Amino acid sequence: MKKILLFSILTLVASLCVQAARPKVVAHRGYWKTAGSAQNSLRALIKADSIGADMAEFDVWIASDDVLMVNHDPVVDGYMIPDTPSTVLRQNVKLANGEPIRTVEEYLDAAKDLNIGLVYEIKWHVNTEREALCVKKSIEMINDRGLADRTIYITFSPTAHEELGKYGVPHYFLSGKTPQELVEMGSSGPDFHYDVFYKNTDFIPEFKRLGMPINVWTVSTPEITQYFIDQDVDYITTDTPELCIKLLNETPSSKDVRVMDFNLEGAESLEAAAAIIRAEHPDFVTLQGLKTTPEINKLAEISGMYIYFNANNKTGVAVMSRTTPTEVKNLDLPNQFRDTPCKAIVCTYDLGNAIKFNVASASMSEENDVTRQHQAEYITRYLRDADIPAVLGAGLNDTPKSKPWETMRGRFGELSTDEVTFPAPVPDRKIDYLLNYPADKVVKRESYVRPTAASYHMPTIADITVKY
Ligand code: MG
């Protein structure tokens, strides 16, 4: 095997997969549904941090003496916060757990010593000038304490939203608008009630397409929480953060990847083959029909990928990838009749979040059906025994009616389609296969054959989700 490590801009900048990180858990008004806590209290902030919530949400008003106060409603214990000095509020208002009502200063000073992020809600004030001052002072206080990197702002108020936009801070709008309306408002993204997303099922895909992070409130039952975990939103605001963390931990991680199988037998121009590979932009390529070392060196170089190769002096198989594997195994396939030796290669990758993934390429005997049958049994058993989610690109040299194919089909799922792949440019049969194992962990989203005359075989491309 030759291992050639080739760097290119493509390799350096491309991450392996396109996959959002798991949703952030936002404790709504802190973690208050727990002993000794209360909404918007310091205790709720500290509890949210201690259970591992990613962020705490809290509500901010400006009092009549320009001091910022943390409370949900405008009226507390009979005092209208915007019309009352903070000193009066501090003296007379107690939260449900006995803490005094908190100033934003106290709240942020406590947050500074914790790891938790902040979802800072500017409340909708009747007086827009006071509201603008509330925005200005809020941003100053966050910036002064070095909390800007872990704070996002939210509001129901269109004027506060516009004001926040002037400072260039991340700001999300709380009531339902269409994606296009939010774009026109210059918003960072939606922070909508879950019902808005239930009623408008096109919103989540559209916000994702626009690259706008999605926040949803207030999600507190197991069913609704799981729905938004599965929708892969960016923030889940919840009154039950422990439940949300538990469900997230129980939800399997997954990675979306693109795999291509390409047999380069008869490829006259490697540039043409590499152009197809670059255009399809796969994460992994299983290759068969490669001939010489200089040839594969060149293919890897112009494709901008790493390549791992197992060959005899006539022909070989390879796996190309955008990242390096953790392990590479070269296999000699059974050959009891001393036909042309056939090879396989298995590369093991770490997709992150403890997801291991085997990518294998095998080329089977052109000369003998019995050998082919044994080879099919050997490679499928090997990959199943490894007990790691796997794809196998196989040049089976046999059709879907053959016994070796029945063997493989019995043990693996199929990612490839029924389309014919050989001989290009006018193929009449299918002898190339892209297989998956197990079906519940390597899930096909889409696959197709790409017409090309770059080789005698047309490549198959599959978009898959690998689960852990
Ligand atoms: Mg709020």
Side-chain angles (χ1 to χ4, degrees):
M1 183 200 80
K2 297 279 180 183
K3 185 167 98 173
I4 301 147
L5 302 182
L6 291 163
F7 286 97
S8 69
I9 289 171
L10 181 72
T11 310
L12 290 170
V13 302
S15 65
L16 184 61
C17 320
V18 180
Q19 172 80 18
R22 68 174 214 162
K24 285 187 163 53
V25 179
V26 181
H28 182 230
R29 304 175 200 169
Y31 186 20
W32 58 274
K33 281 192 169 181
T34 183
S37 192
Q39 294 185 14
N40 283 314
S41 65
L42 288 193
R43 179 81 182 154
L45 171 70
I46 292 162
K47 280 298 285 183
D49 181 72
S50 80
I51 61 160
D54 299 292
M55 306 185 88
E57 188 264 1
F58 62 108
D59 307 285
V60 175
W61 296 94
I62 187 162
S64 65
D65 56 357
D66 296 354
V67 173
L68 304 185
M69 302 300 298
V70 184
N71 199 64
H72 182 262
D73 296 333
V75 178
V76 60
D77 290 356
Y79 297 99
M80 177 64 86
I81 298 173
D83 300 337
T84 310
S86 60
T87 43
V88 173
L89 295 166
R90 288 283 291 168
Q91 267 166 20
N92 299 295
V93 178
K94 292 267 181 287
L95 303 177
N97 66 344
E99 284 183 40
I101 185 171
R102 295 298 180 178
T103 62
V104 169
E105 186 176 12
E106 283 177 301
Y107 197 88
L108 298 188
D109 285 345
K112 217 171 43 171
D113 296 330
L114 306 172
N115 295 312
I116 198 159
L118 301 173
V119 178
Y120 192 123
E121 179 171 351
I122 306 277
K123 300 304 290 190
W124 192 340
H125 295 65
V126 176
N127 181 325
T128 51
E129 278 174 28
R130 299 292 298 161
E131 191 176 76
L133 184 62
C134 181
V135 168
K136 180 172 182 285
K137 287 184 76 90
S138 294
I139 293 171
E140 283 170 2
M141 290 176 79
I142 287 285
N143 291 349
D144 287 349
R145 285 163 180 77
L147 290 167
D149 287 348
R150 49 176 160 130
T151 302
I152 63 170
Y153 298 86
I154 60 173
T155 187
F156 279 101
S157 160
T159 51
H161 184 270
E162 195 180 335
E163 203 62 33
L164 286 161
K166 291 179 191 166
Y167 293 91
V169 294
H171 58 302
Y172 294 75
F173 198 60
L174 280 163
S175 51
K177 296 270 180 190
T178 65
Q180 193 50 42
E181 284 169 333
L182 276 201
V183 169
E184 283 160 16
M185 288 169 69
S187 188
S188 303
D191 184 0
F192 294 165
H193 187 267
Y194 62 82
D195 220 26
V196 176
F197 293 115
Y198 275 128
K199 286 183 179 146
N200 301 277
T201 50
D202 55 326
F203 275 18
I204 288 176
E206 182 59 9
F207 281 123
K208 286 188 180 185
R209 196 188 65 75
L210 291 165
M212 295 169 106
I214 299 164
N215 194 336
V216 55
W217 56 273
T218 298
V219 175
S220 300
T221 67
E223 295 74 24
I224 302 174
T225 305
Q226 190 65 52
Y227 175 82
F228 286 100
I229 290 172
D230 294 341
Q231 292 290 316
D232 239 338
V233 300
D234 299 272
Y235 303 92
I236 295 177
T237 299
T238 175
D239 282 333
T240 51
E242 280 188 295
L243 170 73
C244 192
I245 290 166
K246 178 173 173 283
L247 291 175
L248 271 170
N249 289 340
E250 288 170 359
T251 302
S253 304
S254 65
K255 293 283 182 191
D256 292 346
V257 297
R258 170 168 283 194
V259 183
M260 174 189 247
D261 177 63
F262 205 176
N263 187 323
L264 294 182
E265 183 196 2
E268 282 182 16
S269 151
L270 286 179
E271 281 84 356
I276 299 282
I277 292 167
R278 285 199 308 269
E280 294 291 338
H281 206 59
D283 298 291
F284 303 98
V285 187
T286 54
L287 295 160
Q288 304 88 32
L290 287 164
K291 290 213 164 33
T292 63
T293 304
E295 184 182 46
I296 59 155
N297 285 1
K298 190 171 176 197
L299 180 71
E301 187 182 322
I302 53 186
S303 301
M305 297 177 86
Y306 297 97
I307 191 163
Y308 303 87
F309 188 51
N310 188 11
N312 54 41
N313 53 10
K314 277 190 74 180
T315 184
V317 294
V319 170
M320 290 208 301
S321 54
R322 289 203 245 145
T323 59
T324 54
T326 54
E327 198 178 349
V328 178
K329 279 268 197 253
N330 289 326
L331 305 174
D332 291 322
L333 296 178
N335 184 22
Q336 63 270 51
F337 303 116
R338 300 190 184 277
D339 298 324
T340 306
C342 288
K343 305 283 185 182
I345 184 167
V346 181
C347 293
T348 305
Y349 294 87
D350 178 358
L351 299 185
N353 288 339
I355 308 175
K356 280 183 165 184
F357 184 43
N358 272 341
V359 180
S361 180
S363 186
M364 294 171 210
S365 175
E366 289 181 38
E367 296 146 337
N368 190 311
D369 324 352
V370 178
T371 303
R372 218 158 30 242
Q373 169 66 11
H374 288 164
Q375 291 173 341
E377 282 173 13
Y378 178 86
I379 185 66
T380 49
R381 194 184 314 121
Y382 180 92
L383 289 169
R384 284 179 66 121
D385 288 350
D387 201 23
I388 292 172
V391 293
L392 168 63
L396 182 56
N397 285 310
D398 224 331
T399 65
K401 295 206 167 102
S402 64
K403 190 147 185 251
W405 169 242
E406 270 177 33
T407 298
M408 297 180 87
R409 193 71 185 84
R411 294 180 177 180
F412 270 56
E414 185 175 11
L415 298 170
S416 38
T417 69
D418 293 335
E419 293 166 89
V420 289
T421 57
F422 179 87
V426 188
D428 59 21
R429 78 206 90 141
K430 174 177 169 178
I431 58 172
D432 303 287
Y433 301 82
L434 195 53
L435 305 160
N436 60 316
Y437 172 82
D440 63 332
K441 290 188 177 165
V442 182
V443 180
K444 174 162 93 170
R445 289 180 286 119
E446 195 190 354
S447 68
Y448 53 93
V449 169
R450 161 125 185 191
T452 173
S455 158
Y456 291 160
H457 301 249
M458 290 183 179
T460 295
I461 295 104
D463 288 324
I464 57 174
T465 299
V466 184
K467 295 182 175 177
Y468 127 111

